[in-house]
Amino acid sequence: MRPSRPLLTGLAVVVLAVLAWRESTPRQPAAGGRRADFDFYLLSLTLEPAFCDDGNQRIAQCRALDVEAFERTPLVLHGLWPEAREPGRYPRDCPGPRLDLQPQTRADLGRWMPGILEGLERHEWRTHGTCSGLDDDAYFRAAIDGTRLANEVLGDAIRGNAGRSVDAATLRRAAERLRPGFGSQLVFVCRTLRSEDPAKRRRPHLLEVRLCVDADGPGGGPGRLLRCADVDRRDQGCGGSFMIDAV
């Protein structure tokens, strides 16, 4: 049986997104940039409704959250983190230039990283980006491309299960249908929320999705996707099932 046209279209979008991510980083680090010693990257993506319901309702990012924003971008960018195989040994706060993004990069980042309203991009650059060896625009362009890819592959499953209980296997199967192997390249991070709703304080909620990526791209940027088990990264706090919070 031949694949349907919508499926072929979806697969084409995912392939283009993968190629765009691989080609987005520069051939060389920026002048003056120095790559720290690390093994791979974790792309950390947040489920905004759970984040906001975890005691953050009053910040600007969460005041701006609505159904339309969640439907458009179920997974938003937290950061692109240089990582060591041994947990907790990642480099941080490396010497580097101040953040000075090109206007177009900053405009694009505003869609994928709503935390820019609180200055999250400055924190992520200072803490993690300066260790990558990339310049600031290349670093955030790579992070944006990875966020776009994850939304293309996993976004429908997140939207479709909002307000419901689900398990990690279900989300991984949904990702595998669009991109074989993608499910093994994901880590799910869950916890009970510091919510005013007592029910949300009793059940784990999906808070983060992390994508494991090799640092073998141009200039030491993100390259091929990795099986997270191969770099000793596994789901955290999710148990047998967990909730996906809705707006």
Side-chain angles (χ1 to χ4, degrees), residues 13-18 21 43-47 72-79 111-112 142-159 171 174-176 178-179 182-183 185-188 208-213 225:
V13 169
V14 171
V15 169
L16 289 173
V18 173
W21 196 11
L43 179 71
S44 175
L45 307 171
T46 300
L47 279 84
R72 183 174 62 247
T73 313
L75 296 169
V76 300
L77 174 61
H78 181 176
R111 173 185 173 178
W112 301 100
I144 288 170
D145 288 340
T147 306
R148 182 184 295 112
L149 171 61
N151 276 281
E152 293 285 356
V153 179
L154 195 60
D156 281 347
I158 298 294
R159 282 186 288 259
L171 294 184
E176 294 281 338
L178 278 179
R179 180 179 166 83
F182 198 81
Q185 295 153 356
L186 298 170
V187 164
F188 299 119
E208 278 188 75
V209 174
R210 296 176 181 174
L211 186 59
C212 301
V213 193
L225 301 181

Side-chain angles (χ1 to χ4, degrees), residues 4-196:
S4 66
R5 186 175 298 275
L7 177 57
L8 289 173
T9 301
L11 289 171
V13 169
V14 171
V15 169
L16 289 173
V18 173
L19 293 175
W21 196 11
R22 289 181 175 176
E23 295 172 0
S24 65
T25 50
R27 293 290 172 188
Q28 310 225 346
R34 181 178 179 183
R35 186 185 187 279
D37 183 20
F38 64 93
D39 301 317
F40 66 101
Y41 290 94
L42 279 179
L43 179 71
S44 175
L45 307 171
T46 300
L47 279 84
E48 215 175 356
F51 169 78
C52 291
D53 214 8
D54 193 32
N56 297 307
Q57 296 93 334
R58 296 182 179 179
I59 66 174
Q61 170 184 351
C62 295
R63 293 199 306 270
L65 175 63
D66 57 23
V67 173
E68 182 180 352
F70 175 70
E71 289 288 324
R72 183 174 62 247
T73 313
L75 296 169
V76 300
L77 174 61
H78 181 176
L80 179 64
W81 304 338
E83 283 281 320
R85 287 286 297 266
E86 184 180 351
R89 302 283 292 185
Y90 60 88
R92 59 179 297 160
D93 300 310
C94 300
R98 292 180 59 188
L99 182 66
D100 185 22
L101 293 174
Q102 294 292 325
Q104 189 59 58
T105 304
R106 178 167 291 279
D108 293 344
L109 192 60
R111 173 185 173 178
W112 301 100
M113 180 187 261
I116 200 171
L117 294 172
E118 277 78 44
L120 178 60
E121 81 285 10
R122 294 192 299 273
H123 168 80
E124 290 299 313
W125 171 249
R126 183 177 63 251
T127 306
H128 303 288
T130 53
C131 300
S132 69
L134 304 173
D135 70 41
D136 51 2
D137 284 278
Y139 170 77
F140 280 108
R141 282 286 170 194
I144 288 170
D145 288 340
T147 306
R148 182 184 295 112
L149 171 61
N151 276 281
E152 293 285 356
V153 179
L154 195 60
D156 281 347
I158 298 294
R159 282 186 288 259
N161 287 287
R164 301 177 183 174
S165 176
V166 70
D167 57 32
T170 297
L171 294 184
R172 288 194 166 95
R173 283 194 299 269
E176 294 281 338
R177 284 195 289 270
L178 278 179
R179 180 179 166 83
F182 198 81
S184 68
Q185 295 153 356
L186 298 170
V187 164
F188 299 119
V189 179
C190 306
R191 72 172 180 225
T192 57
L193 304 180
R194 296 170 295 176
S195 172
E196 296 177 358

